[in-house]
Amino acid sequence: MDTLETRELRYFVAVAEELHFGRAAERLGMAQPPLSRAIQQLERRLGVRLLERNRRGVRLTGAGEVLLQEGRAALDATAAAARRTRRAGGADSLGDSRERLVLAVKAAASHDLLRKLLDAYAAEPDSAEIEVLPCSINEQEELLRDGRADVALMHTPWNSLAGFDSEPLTTEGQVAVLPTGHPLAAHETLSLADVRDIPGLPLARWPTRGTYPPGPGPEIHNQTQLAQLIALGRTVAIVPDSARSWLWTEHTAVPLADAPPIVTHIAWPAHSRSLTLAGLIRTAVRL
């Protein structure tokens, strides 16, 4: 049988992530014996071994690794369908039948573009309510996939557009943001090599899918933290030119002559058939 139930996927993903039946059962709010039976039944139905069990614990087989990845995606898609359906019906706010779209944006990024988009769309007849959802670094992809957002402003090459439809909106250069008193802050332009190895001023590290690249620089979790560390002379950052809008007086932005351009896209799930979303995208492309 090729059909899998959502319940089965939830059970398996919990076990696969915990690699411990007891912890998985606790996480699911159920007893361990029925969980073990459910996983065994799933293996029989699929005709493959998903888990290797021994006295040292539990580990995934090759087939189990595949089902973990596919199962996560399927559960995200199911949750996304429920969230987007409720929003389309106005069920998220009592007594309000107006459709609502959630727009995910990286906090403090593309401020001018976002303001212009919201103003232009609000002027359209029958426009939907737009909820702006500021998010952490590189979080837009996850929010789109699991349905917490309907559409997002994404920035390549930093964000991946894989699996989404998108339209490019703006292109801009990059700048190095340094403490105002640093000698390099007096330069008219810098190169990437200039800022990658500054003694005593390591480059800030941004996460990609929850993982930080190696290096001596601080791990950046949000824009406020980054701004303070730069002002204190603890790090230097490479950001889009539009990020000048949030700079403090203790910061200086210097253009990077050889940095690749940053392209801001409006992105949405490839399978979307929402006419309301299509209206927002048309407005964005016309800006």
Side-chain angles (χ1 to χ4, degrees), residues 10-30:
R10 286 195 299 106
Y11 287 179
F12 174 74
V13 168
V15 174
E17 290 180 344
E18 298 291 345
L19 291 178
H20 190 282
F21 276 88
R23 290 194 298 268
E26 183 177 357
R27 168 173 152 180
L28 292 164
M30 62 186 298

Side-chain angles (χ1 to χ4, degrees), residues 66-119:
V66 171
L67 186 57
L68 174 58
Q69 298 304 316
E70 298 290 344
R72 284 169 171 163
L75 291 173
D76 282 347
T78 301
R83 287 170 175 143
R84 292 190 175 112
T85 300
R86 284 197 297 270
R87 281 200 295 274
D92 281 353
S93 52
L94 295 176
D96 184 5
S97 60
R98 185 185 181 195
E99 187 166 354
R100 180 166 60 94
L101 294 175
V102 177
L103 170 60
V105 297
K106 179 183 171 184
S110 304
H111 176 75
D112 289 339
L113 173 63
L114 177 60
R115 177 178 51 78
K116 291 176 183 176
L117 173 58
L118 294 176
D119 289 346

